[in-house]
């Protein structure tokens, strides 16, 4: 503490703590004015404080920076009170050293909210700022995520410092591009993000400006360094959440990278959603559930030929997802996700119901229904829900004979969850629903192990058929023979060529399925019922 004269700023009295803190002797102190202690230029009235932060803590006047006798600077918090000292107009000043606290605080703020190289706000800062932005902006908000490429090359060829130089330069370029006050962030090593006000068209304009700016070379380690960028855009919905927007924009960037386009917008570019689906997207589960509830699923049917008779013996129901934005999705693109997300049961029970409904509809239309084969997943057998029970109810509901329904299980499914599979097979057998072992040859292919499984037929995977004419023939015929020994019917999958069918016929294969006979098609396609196979090659599509 000290007492200073109000008018002259001279120090009139000082306590021992101040002497210890500043390093002046008492006599030296009493020869000083407070301006001599201040670390920075001209002082505000009184000299002890500079209203640097405007923040007043503990009724203090403010924070200031002072200098000790040895030149070291101190951050101090200053409190003052007027008083009369020895008849003079004076001020009592209390000073507290907050250097350590301030340094810690600064560092904490810096490291927790800023990127140390570019000085731009980081992901936490983005989340903090977004709430305020959302309140302030009336228009839609777009988040641009900018991923820089080529830094690895710079790091390897010119060194890490050069890489950092480039990152800093990219940061300043973006700063100039978006404006000093714009909400611009540096999320991670090579990823930047900016909020812009406006719709998709405006966001795309911003993205294009970023891309052309990135075409200019940077100077690092004294030479030119080139980088490029991909931009992912997510448009905020009312009440958007910054975390969600970040994930959407991130998905858009990733999809821009794989699709080869430089800019992608989440929700409007089909490939973005496709990408999300492929990469275990966060919205996937709800999107898939939505698909079931909103009637976005379709079934197509692929004819199965009775090889000896040349007639269509049945069809396989194959699911499709007709997404309103993305378009048609094939099972390979979403079934694995549905299995992980736990919605496969919903999908498969929908396909089962739909197939039963279709059988009844064919019958009503005067068409003799062929048996419909429906695929089940291993996951259908894991949960508490009973798929056999569902099948029983749906057959009843549509008045469909059990002989008109069959299920397909892959070999891996059948051997994996043995107990549940056996229970299912018993139930189906009791009902009269046939069972086929799908994709035979891709799993363990152990005929002896499936012997004890009471299945009715096996479907030889198309990879076997593909090789049949290139030295793989004996394997296919061996499988047919062994299956027949076990009283199993054999379906050859993926039959695409006349020669394949001829070979299968020669070896007594019971059924054939594949593009040669017909591709998966809608329920009203006449070719599903053509009694004699008409083989016009031009009409096939993959
Ligand atoms: P899968 O059961 O083995 O079905 C046969 C797949 O082979 C179908 O593909 C079909 O379009 C395709 N295919 C048919 N003929 C040919 C051909 O001549 N050449 C070639 N290259 N391919 C042919 P899709 O429809 O994409 O289905 C793929 C897989 O997805 C199915 O294989 C099945 O395992 C699964 N899947 C389809 N629908 C469902 C469903 O409703 N539920 C479940 N759990 N899985 C399903
Ligand atoms: Mg199948
Ligand atoms: Mg198959």
């Amino acid at each position: 503490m000290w007492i200073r004269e109000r008018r002259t700023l001279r120090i009139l009295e000082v306590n021992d703590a101040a002497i210890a803190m500043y390093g002046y002797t008492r006599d030296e102190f009493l020869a000083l004015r407070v301006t001599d202690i201040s670390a920075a230029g001209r002082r505000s009235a009184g000299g002890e404080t500079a209203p640097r932060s405007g923040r007043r803590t503990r009724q203090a006047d403010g924070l200031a920076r002072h200098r000790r006798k040895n030149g070291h600077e101190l951050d101090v918090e200053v409190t003052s009170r007027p008083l009369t000292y020895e008849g003079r107009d004076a001020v009592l000043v209390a000073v507290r050293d907050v250097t350590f606290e301030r340094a810690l605080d600064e560092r904490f703020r810096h490291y927790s909210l800023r990127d140390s190289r570019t000085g731009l706000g980081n992901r936490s800062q983005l989340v903090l700022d977004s709430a305020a932005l959302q309140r302030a902006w009336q228009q839609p908000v777009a988040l641009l995520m900018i991923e820089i490429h080529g830094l690895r090359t710079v790091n390897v060829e010119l060194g890490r410092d050069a890489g950092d130089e480039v990152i800093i330069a990219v940061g300043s370029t973006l700063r100039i591009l978006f404006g000093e006050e714009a909400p611009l962030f540096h999320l991670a090593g090579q990823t930047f993000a900016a909020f812009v006000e406006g719709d998709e068209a405006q966001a795309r304009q911003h993205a294009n400006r970023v891309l052309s700016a990135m075409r200019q070379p940077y100077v690092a380690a004294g030479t030119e360094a080139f980088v490029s960028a991909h931009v992912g855009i997510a448009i905020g919905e009312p009440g958007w959440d910054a975390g969600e927007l970040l994930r959407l924009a991130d998905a858009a960037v990733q999809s821009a990278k794989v699709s080869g386009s430089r800019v992608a917008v989440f929700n409007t570019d089909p490939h973005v959603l496709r990408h999300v689906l492929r990469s275990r997207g966060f919205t996937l589960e709800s999107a898939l559930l939505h698909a079931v509830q909103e009637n976005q699923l379709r079934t197509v049917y692929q004819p199965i030929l009775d090889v000896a008779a040349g007639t269509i013996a049945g069809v396989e129901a194959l699911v499709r997802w007709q997404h309103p934005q993305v378009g048609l999705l094939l099972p390979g693109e979403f079934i694995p996700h549905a299995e992980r997300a736990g919605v496969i049961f919903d999908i498969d029970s929908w396909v089962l119901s739909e197939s039963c409904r279709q059988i009844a509809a064919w019958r009503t239309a005067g068409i003799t229904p062929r048996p419909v084969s429906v695929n089940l997943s291993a996951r259908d057998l894991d949960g508490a829900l009973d798929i056999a029970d569902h099948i029983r109810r749906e057959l009843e509901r549509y008045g469909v004979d059990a002989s008109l329904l069959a299920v397909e299980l892959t070999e891996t499914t059948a051997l994996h969850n043995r107990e549940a599979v056996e229970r299912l097979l018993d139930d189906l057998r009791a009902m009269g629903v046939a069972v086929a072992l799908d994709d035979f040859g891709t799993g363990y292919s152990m005929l002896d192990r499936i012997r004890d499984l009471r299945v009715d037929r096996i479907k030889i995977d198309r990879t076997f058929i593909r090789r049949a004419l290139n030295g793989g023939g004996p394997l296919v015929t061996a499988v047919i023979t062994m299956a027949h020994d076990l009283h199993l019917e054999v379906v050859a999958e993926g039959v695409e060529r006349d020669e394949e069918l001829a070979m299968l016929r020669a070896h007594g294969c019971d059924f054939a399925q594949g593009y040669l006979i017909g591709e998966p098609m809608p329920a009203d396609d006449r070719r599903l019922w053509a009694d004699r196979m008409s083989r016009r090659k031009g009409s096939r599509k993959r």
Side-chain angles (χ1 to χ4, degrees):
M1 282 157 88
W2 60 72
I3 294 167
R4 67 164 170 87
E5 192 169 25
R6 181 185 288 280
R7 194 175 46 82
T8 62
L9 304 181
R10 281 189 39 224
I11 290 175
L12 304 175
E13 188 53 271
V14 63
N15 72 352
D16 290 343
I19 289 167
M21 184 162 134
Y22 287 82
Y24 295 106
T25 63
R26 178 176 301 274
D27 289 342
E28 284 169 336
F29 241 122
L30 297 181
L32 295 174
R33 290 158 174 256
V34 291
T35 44
D36 300 324
I37 291 170
S38 281
R42 270 185 55 87
R43 300 291 84 206
S44 56
E48 289 94 353
T49 70
R52 284 151 43 113
S53 71
R55 190 164 50 132
R56 293 179 166 236
T57 46
R58 294 185 207 103
Q59 278 86 44
D61 295 357
L63 295 168
R65 176 155 284 208
H66 285 179
R67 187 180 288 119
R68 303 170 66 173
K69 186 183 175 187
N70 66 8
H72 288 169
E73 295 190 355
L74 301 168
D75 280 313
V76 292
E77 185 187 85
V78 181
T79 317
S80 54
R81 175 148 40 93
L83 86 166
T84 306
Y85 182 75
E86 293 175 344
R88 280 182 274 190
D89 210 3
V91 182
L92 170 70
V93 179
V95 177
R96 198 167 72 86
D97 181 3
V98 295
T99 311
F100 184 68
E101 283 168 43
R102 291 260 308 164
L104 211 61
D105 192 41
E106 197 88 326
R107 200 168 284 196
F108 178 72
R109 287 185 67 78
H110 193 81
Y111 286 128
S112 64
L113 296 173
R114 313 236 133 235
D115 180 273
S116 57
R117 283 168 300 183
T118 54
L120 295 172
N122 63 16
R123 189 174 288 261
S124 312
Q125 180 82 60
L126 182 152
V127 172
L128 282 178
D129 287 2
S130 68
L133 278 180
Q134 187 163 198
R135 280 194 298 274
W137 286 359
Q138 303 303 314
Q139 283 209 58
V141 172
L143 178 63
L144 270 65
M145 193 175 281
I146 302 152
E147 206 174 289
I148 306 297
H149 296 268
L151 284 167
R152 190 188 300 258
T153 318
V154 176
N155 283 338
V156 169
E157 290 178 2
L158 304 173
R160 290 211 161 264
D161 288 348
D164 282 356
E165 272 182 65
V166 172
I167 291 192
I168 293 165
V170 167
S172 344
T173 306
L174 294 174
R175 188 31 96 217
I176 293 164
L177 210 63
F178 284 96
E180 204 53 51
E181 298 301 314
L184 176 68
F185 308 88
H186 185 179
L187 301 185
Q190 57 203 30
T191 314
F192 294 82
F195 281 116
V196 296
E197 208 171 352
D199 58 9
E200 184 185 329
Q202 286 162 291
R204 279 187 185 274
Q205 280 174 11
H206 281 286
N208 288 329
R209 284 170 56 221
V210 170
L211 294 180
S212 44
M214 290 304 137
R215 277 188 208 109
Q216 310 302 319
Y218 287 98
V219 175
T223 95
E224 284 190 336
F226 289 88
V227 295
S228 65
H230 286 104
V231 184
I233 299 172
I235 312 284
E237 303 283 333
W240 49 268
D241 148 67
E244 177 81 353
L245 218 49
L246 273 169
R247 284 189 292 269
L248 295 174
D250 191 37
V253 174
Q254 302 315 320
S255 121
K257 288 198 300 201
V258 297
S259 71
S261 61
R262 292 257 155 213
V263 181
V265 181
F266 191 86
N267 256 352
T268 55
D269 286 2
H271 59 260
V272 178
L273 190 54
R274 271 182 194 265
H275 177 79
V276 172
L277 299 183
R278 289 206 192 96
S279 60
R280 268 201 69 200
F282 45 93
T283 49
L284 184 72
E285 185 171 346
S286 54
L288 277 165
L289 262 180
H290 209 64
V292 182
Q293 286 152 6
E294 300 291 307
N295 257 321
Q296 294 171 359
L297 297 182
R298 306 277 176 271
T299 45
V300 287
Y301 301 88
Q302 186 173 30
I304 299 169
L305 180 80
D306 179 325
V307 175
T311 55
I312 301 302
V315 297
E316 177 176 4
L318 295 159
V319 70
R320 300 289 181 262
W321 182 4
Q322 186 67 51
H323 190 280
Q325 273 99 40
V326 175
L328 187 72
L329 289 152
L330 293 173
E333 290 177 285
F334 62 90
I335 293 282
H337 299 292
E339 287 177 340
R340 269 200 295 264
V343 297
I344 188 67
F345 189 92
D346 302 78
I347 293 176
D348 285 344
S349 13
W350 181 84
V351 174
L352 274 163
S353 308
E354 175 59 18
S355 299
C356 292
R357 192 198 61 75
Q358 190 58 60
I359 294 169
W362 279 321
R363 198 178 45 205
T364 310
I367 296 165
T368 312
R370 310 296 201 273
V372 179
S373 214
V374 175
N375 293 281
L376 292 187
S377 148
R379 292 274 159 272
D380 291 326
L381 306 178
D382 285 351
L385 297 165
D386 188 346
I387 197 85
D389 199 46
H390 176 78
I391 294 173
R392 193 180 297 114
R393 271 184 284 118
E394 294 308 289
L395 289 173
E396 219 170 82
R397 173 171 160 203
Y398 291 103
V400 168
D401 195 278
S403 65
L404 288 175
L405 196 69
V407 302
E408 298 187 4
L409 298 172
T410 65
E411 195 190 353
T412 328
T413 302
L415 295 176
H416 174 69
N417 197 346
R418 197 66 188 243
E419 215 176 287
V421 168
E422 271 167 18
R423 213 173 322 120
L424 174 70
L425 295 186
D426 284 345
D427 287 350
L428 292 177
R429 174 160 299 249
M431 262 186 267
V433 173
V435 178
L437 211 52
D438 204 354
D439 301 348
F440 184 81
T442 58
Y444 301 104
S445 312
M446 293 183 191
L447 269 179
D448 57 324
R449 283 186 66 188
I450 60 170
R451 185 185 354 228
D452 333 319
L453 281 177
R454 276 147 301 171
V455 299
D456 302 272
R457 64 185 73 109
I458 62 169
K459 299 186 79 170
I460 305 179
D461 192 68
R462 64 168 173 273
T463 51
F464 274 66
I465 307 305
R466 195 81 330 112
R467 287 196 294 264
L469 297 177
N470 300 312
L475 201 56
V476 174
T477 50
V479 171
I480 296 173
T481 312
M482 284 161 78
H484 284 166
D485 285 349
L486 295 170
H487 307 290
L488 297 172
E489 291 174 324
V490 181
V491 186
E493 290 191 284
V495 179
E496 294 182 354
R497 296 153 64 183
D498 290 309
E499 299 87 324
E500 290 162 353
L501 184 60
M503 191 221 95
L504 292 165
R505 187 181 290 120
H507 290 96
C509 181
D510 306 279
F511 303 101
Q513 185 180 350
Y515 296 151
L516 178 68
I517 293 102
E519 74 278 5
M521 52 190 88
D524 59 3
D525 198 303
R526 287 179 41 247
R527 285 173 298 160
L528 287 174
W529 318 116
D531 260 355
R532 285 277 151 194
M533 205 177 89
S534 56
R535 265 181 270 143
R536 267 171 289 108
K537 284 200 168 153
S539 67
R540 270 184 276 130
K541 79 167 187 268
R542 301 288 129 114

